[in-house]
Amino acid sequence: MLKVRQLTKDFGGLRAVDQCSFTVSEGSIFGLIGPNGSGKTTTFNMITGFLEPTAGQVLFRDEDITGRPPDQVAQRGIVRTFQLVRVFGRMTVLENLLLGPKNQRGEGLLLGMLNLPVVRRQEEQAIERALGLLDVVGLRSIADEYCRDLPYAEQKMVEIVRALMTDPDLILLDEPTSGINPSLVDQILDYVRHLRKEEGKTFLVVEHDMRVIMNLCDRIAVLDYGRKICEGDPDEVCNDPAVIDAYLGV
Ligand SMILES: Nc1ncnc2c1ncn2[C@@H]1O[C@H](COP(=O)(O)OP(=O)(O)OP(=O)(O)O)[C@@H](O)[C@H]1O
Ligand SMILES: [Mg+2]
């Protein structure tokens, strides 16, 4: 579904990502791990159009989407969440979710002002979808709360739910469980598994927590100083000497 080929990013003299290649198959949960600063977020940014690669290619369903801007990437069914939560604190949970769907009618100011039935209908559908998603994660009761009043874990969940509003096919999660109480981590992981199993979604996940990655992912690539040093299933990766070295720093 997603092919990354020889992807490279230089920041001045620093090569943050170095000829990185991997393939994510449809319906899988693919993990991208590595020590701090190894290029995981930079890779995400290149895939989703937030950064232009210095070299290499990103193919989505065999279409070359290298260097396309974020909205065009999103239109093709790819969304991402951010390492640090980006929800709007002064808006309610529901309002945050309604910001999600892009390129729908009624976005333009003029159309919005005309208040046409077609626009209202889309709005109603979006609200219905938002409340439905909140139901699934058990957060419907907080739909009208301001995001700034919510615990961090719930804000993170709101961000994940918001990413789902456009019904994407591929979801990139940048450290979905960091900063979250371990008892709530399982809730997020269960939801990801549910989306894969019941809705056939595909995930690319960056995580620091090895336990999370090993439990969640079918396949894992390991970065170190921007280079892919290993790829395999959780067992293979766990037992790879290069990975152990990178993590223990010996
Ligand atoms: N916009 C930027 N300008 C310059 N250097 C950058 C920029 N973004 C990232 N870097 C550098 O590129 C390298 C890779 O950073 P990146 O954020 O991709 O790592 P990461 O694997 O996501 O790390 P972490 O686990 O800490 O989130 C780091 O050395 C970082 O300092
Ligand atoms: Mg990062």
Side-chain angles (χ1 to χ4, degrees):
M1 184 184 219
L2 177 76
K3 282 198 191 100
V4 168
R5 281 196 197 140
Q6 302 286 311
L7 208 56
T8 300
K9 182 71 192 176
D10 291 336
F11 292 114
L14 174 86
R15 180 149 289 191
V17 177
D18 193 0
Q19 300 182 51
C20 186
S21 302
F22 55 86
T23 299
V24 180
S25 11
E26 184 139 22
S28 69
I29 304 179
F30 192 101
L32 192 59
I33 66 171
N36 281 115
S38 54
K40 306 180 295 292
T41 298
T42 303
T43 301
F44 264 34
N45 286 339
M46 289 192 284
I47 293 171
T48 49
F50 287 82
L51 275 178
E52 198 155 337
T54 305
Q57 282 180 313
V58 181
L59 303 174
F60 183 65
R61 295 193 159 133
D62 295 323
E63 183 195 2
D64 190 340
I65 58 163
T66 318
R68 291 208 180 256
D71 60 316
Q72 288 188 23
V73 174
Q75 263 173 30
R76 283 161 176 76
I78 306 176
V79 296
R80 56 97 54 96
T81 63
F82 291 88
Q83 188 164 354
L84 297 172
V85 163
R86 291 194 186 178
V87 293
F88 296 95
R90 289 161 180 267
M91 294 173 93
T92 66
V93 169
L94 185 60
E95 285 165 350
N96 266 279
L97 296 186
L98 295 179
L99 287 178
K102 276 269 156 39
N103 304 312
Q104 57 180 356
R105 275 178 264 202
E107 271 206 331
L109 190 57
L110 182 61
L111 262 179
M113 283 189 320
L114 291 175
N115 198 20
L116 299 169
V118 60
V119 176
R120 280 205 304 275
R121 204 155 47 236
Q122 281 193 340
E123 217 169 80
E124 281 162 17
Q125 281 169 358
I127 291 173
E128 217 168 278
R129 176 161 178 83
L131 293 175
L133 287 168
L134 288 173
D135 252 341
V136 177
V137 294
L139 292 182
R140 182 158 182 163
S141 59
I142 61 160
D144 294 323
E145 305 232 357
Y146 287 101
C147 277
R148 62 172 174 218
D149 298 333
L150 300 177
Y152 190 69
E154 288 187 353
Q155 292 188 21
K156 262 194 142 147
M157 201 56 136
V158 170
E159 197 182 15
I160 295 174
V161 171
R162 185 176 62 194
L164 294 167
M165 281 294 290
T166 52
D167 200 18
D169 300 319
L170 173 64
I171 301 143
L172 284 73
L173 302 173
D174 198 348
E175 305 210 14
T177 70
S178 73
I180 291 184
N181 175 329
S183 62
L184 291 172
V185 166
D186 289 335
Q187 197 188 327
I188 290 182
L189 300 187
D190 284 346
Y191 187 44
V192 170
R193 289 191 195 99
H194 162 89
L195 288 168
R196 185 259 287 269
K197 188 156 174 265
E198 305 301 329
E199 298 194 24
K201 304 285 186 206
T202 308
F203 287 89
L204 177 56
V205 185
V206 163
E207 255 297 339
H208 257 127
D209 186 331
M210 285 296 249
R211 185 187 63 93
V212 167
I213 278 288
M214 297 300 159
N215 272 320
L216 188 65
C217 297
D218 312 305
R219 202 167 173 79
I220 298 164
V222 188
L223 296 184
D224 193 26
Y225 295 106
R227 279 178 177 265
K228 189 176 86 173
I229 56 167
C230 172
E231 186 184 323
D233 65 32
D235 266 351
E236 287 166 331
V237 165
C238 246
N239 294 310
D240 189 291
V243 176
I244 297 166
D245 276 1
Y247 270 89
L248 297 178
V250 287

